[in-house]
Amino acid sequence: MSQPPELPPHLRRDGLAPTPELTRMSHSTPVARDPGVFDWVVTGRAEVRAVLSDTDRFSSVPPVQQKAVSQPKEAGNLLHYDPPEHGRLRKLLAPAFTSRHMRSMAPAVEAVVAERLDVLAENGPPADLMRHFGWPVPGLVSCALLGIPRDDLAQLGRMLDVRAPSRMDARSGSRARRRIAAQKAYISYLGGIVARQRREPGEDLLGTIVREHGAELTDAELVGVANSFLAGALENSTQMLGLGVLTLVQHPDQLALLRARPELLDQAVEELLRHVTVVSTASPRTALEDVTLGGQQIKAGETVSCSLLAVNRTRLPGGPEDRLDLTRADASSHLAFGHGVHHCIGAALARLQLRASIAGLLARFPGLRLAVPEAELRFRPFAAQYGVEELPVAW
């Protein structure tokens, strides 16, 4: 088989994304062994859907917690729960994340977008879209939903940035210690937010959960809920927004199409989610019994990683899924939000923020473009949420 061409920088990953090696895997077999990271890497669409929907034979509880008698290490993190505990917790949280409820938040999200567009304009051109828009929009929305003071966003951002793992951690004891300290400070901060909500529940998302289900949730679970929400609604949405805008300006024909046909916005959001997929792999699963998948036997106790990016970008390179097409009719069939019981509970909010942000940017800055050569952009290849560090833009 011939060697596929090297992927562009914004599609490379140092984890389990469709690098040329993984591309060959997706062509040849839906299940490939990768003992250096996980026991198995799953790249076929049918096989990924099968693993993510099979809670009887695959566990989401981290392997180190498989023999634990109590609840998972990260209490409140839905991704680390198996049924029936997962169903109990999700049932308590789901009413706050319905599409109908998220639609009612549209005016508030649009107000945040308008505010940050003003800030972006004041700081350019050129201006760093990530600093002035990509990070603050999800950040301010998250603060409002969790009852976090707006003035604390900068402090929260520093803690999240420092606690992000790096390839250098293993070789730098001081950086690893800083990361551990930041993690403790971050959890302690969220604990303070939960304690305040216990005393005086607000009208925000976390306050509503405390008021209606506080007796059914421990403080540790509420901290975990807030942590999970921030990781998804803030970190994921920030990087999706940045890479989404980058992808559009890298495809001027598609950007021009969206400007000419604004009715394609919803479809464009789905295509960007499919094409970019900032969370390249679903949380690991552990086989609870011997399972045959894609003609391979996975033994009980072995870990499986499902590549969402490989599924969303199948038949790489050069196939139709490798191209950005804002008119793609089946774009919404992507797995960017996962699949099965662990399908992202905040998907509707993520779509809302991306839709409002893109619409606002295109309306305010018709000439939006990169302000530096693409080769100068710096990416986050070792972060759980892949993305771009800075995105200098002009208009």
Side-chain angles (χ1 to χ4, degrees):
M1 181 179 295
S2 61
Q3 177 75 8
E6 187 176 18
L7 295 177
H10 68 288
L11 291 179
R12 295 180 199 148
R13 308 285 201 278
D14 291 82
L16 299 174
T19 57
E21 181 60 32
L22 190 52
T23 298
R24 289 200 297 272
M25 292 176 186
S26 67
H27 277 286
S28 59
T29 176
V31 186
R33 194 168 180 83
D34 188 357
V37 185
F38 297 98
D39 291 307
W40 299 97
V41 178
V42 184
T43 62
R45 172 176 288 272
E47 289 75 18
V48 165
R49 291 171 65 93
V51 171
L52 298 184
S53 62
D54 190 345
T55 57
D56 293 326
R57 298 188 298 173
F58 290 96
S59 171
S60 297
V61 178
V64 295
Q65 294 293 313
Q66 287 293 325
K67 296 182 180 180
V69 189
S70 59
Q71 56 191 358
K73 184 177 182 179
E74 280 193 65
N77 185 342
L78 283 171
L79 295 177
H80 290 178
Y81 279 72
D82 285 335
E85 278 299 290
H86 174 274
R88 175 191 72 85
L89 186 58
R90 185 158 182 137
K91 184 178 180 180
L92 299 180
L93 304 180
F97 290 97
T98 62
S99 297
R100 181 178 180 180
H101 187 212
M102 289 299 110
R103 284 194 297 271
S104 71
M105 291 179 52
V109 172
E110 290 166 359
V112 169
V113 168
E115 172 190 335
R116 297 313 303 183
L117 287 172
D118 288 341
V119 174
L120 186 65
E122 291 168 3
N123 284 275
D128 179 9
L129 185 133
M130 299 307 293
R131 177 183 179 184
H132 301 298
F133 189 83
W135 155 258
V137 168
L140 292 173
V141 171
S142 298
C143 284
L145 283 177
L146 293 177
I148 295 175
R150 286 171 61 108
D151 292 344
D152 288 0
L153 182 59
Q155 174 192 359
L156 190 61
R158 286 192 295 271
M159 287 188 288
L160 289 170
D161 183 59
V162 174
R163 80 187 189 114
S166 164
R167 180 173 59 178
M168 300 302 293
D169 284 352
R171 292 179 288 185
S172 173
S174 61
R175 180 175 173 82
R177 287 191 293 272
R178 285 175 57 224
R179 185 163 64 86
I180 293 171
Q183 176 71 8
K184 290 180 179 178
Y186 170 68
I187 295 301
S188 176
Y189 174 84
L190 293 182
I193 295 294
V194 167
R196 190 176 71 237
Q197 292 279 18
R198 289 282 197 193
R199 293 192 301 269
E200 298 180 17
E203 297 302 318
D204 46 79
L205 172 68
L206 195 56
T208 300
I209 293 173
V210 169
R211 188 166 48 252
E212 297 181 359
H213 304 292
E216 303 170 65
L217 295 165
T218 66
D219 285 352
E221 284 179 322
L222 286 170
V223 167
V225 167
N227 178 28
S228 300
F229 179 82
L230 285 172
L234 202 162
E235 296 185 59
N236 292 0
S237 293
T238 293
Q239 300 310 327
M240 183 62 226
L241 203 164
L243 286 184
V245 171
L246 173 59
T247 300
L248 284 174
V249 298
Q250 287 175 321
H251 295 79
D253 60 325
Q254 295 296 297
L255 184 54
L257 176 64
L258 184 56
R259 288 195 179 107
R261 297 179 57 189
E263 70 275 11
L264 287 176
L265 181 59
D266 286 347
Q267 205 161 322
V269 165
E270 298 304 326
E271 174 66 353
L272 288 170
L273 287 165
R274 181 203 67 80
H275 189 82
V276 175
T277 314
V278 295
V279 180
S280 59
T281 60
S283 57
R285 303 296 198 268
T286 302
L288 299 175
E289 60 184 67
D290 292 352
V291 181
T292 299
L293 189 70
Q296 304 276 3
Q297 185 182 53
I298 298 173
K299 295 181 180 180
E302 292 184 329
T303 54
V304 173
S305 177
C306 294
S307 178
L308 305 178
L309 184 54
V311 170
N312 287 343
R313 301 288 299 276
T314 52
R315 293 196 290 278
L316 285 171
E321 286 78 11
D322 192 29
R323 296 193 295 269
L324 182 73
D325 180 4
L326 301 188
T327 66
R328 190 184 302 277
D330 62 347
S332 61
S333 65
H334 62 76
L335 299 185
F337 294 115
H339 179 67
V341 299
H342 289 292
H343 182 272
C344 178
I345 195 171
L349 178 61
R351 288 183 167 101
L352 172 61
Q353 291 184 92
L354 190 57
R355 186 186 308 116
S357 296
I358 291 175
L361 284 166
L362 296 187
R364 183 71 175 270
F365 307 115
L368 189 68
R369 63 189 184 278
L370 277 181
V372 298
E374 290 182 26
E376 295 183 12
L377 297 176
R378 294 184 298 113
F379 295 87
R380 297 158 36 105
F382 303 105
Q385 292 84 12
Y386 185 71
V388 63
E389 295 283 1
E390 298 173 348
L391 191 61
V393 294
W395 46 86

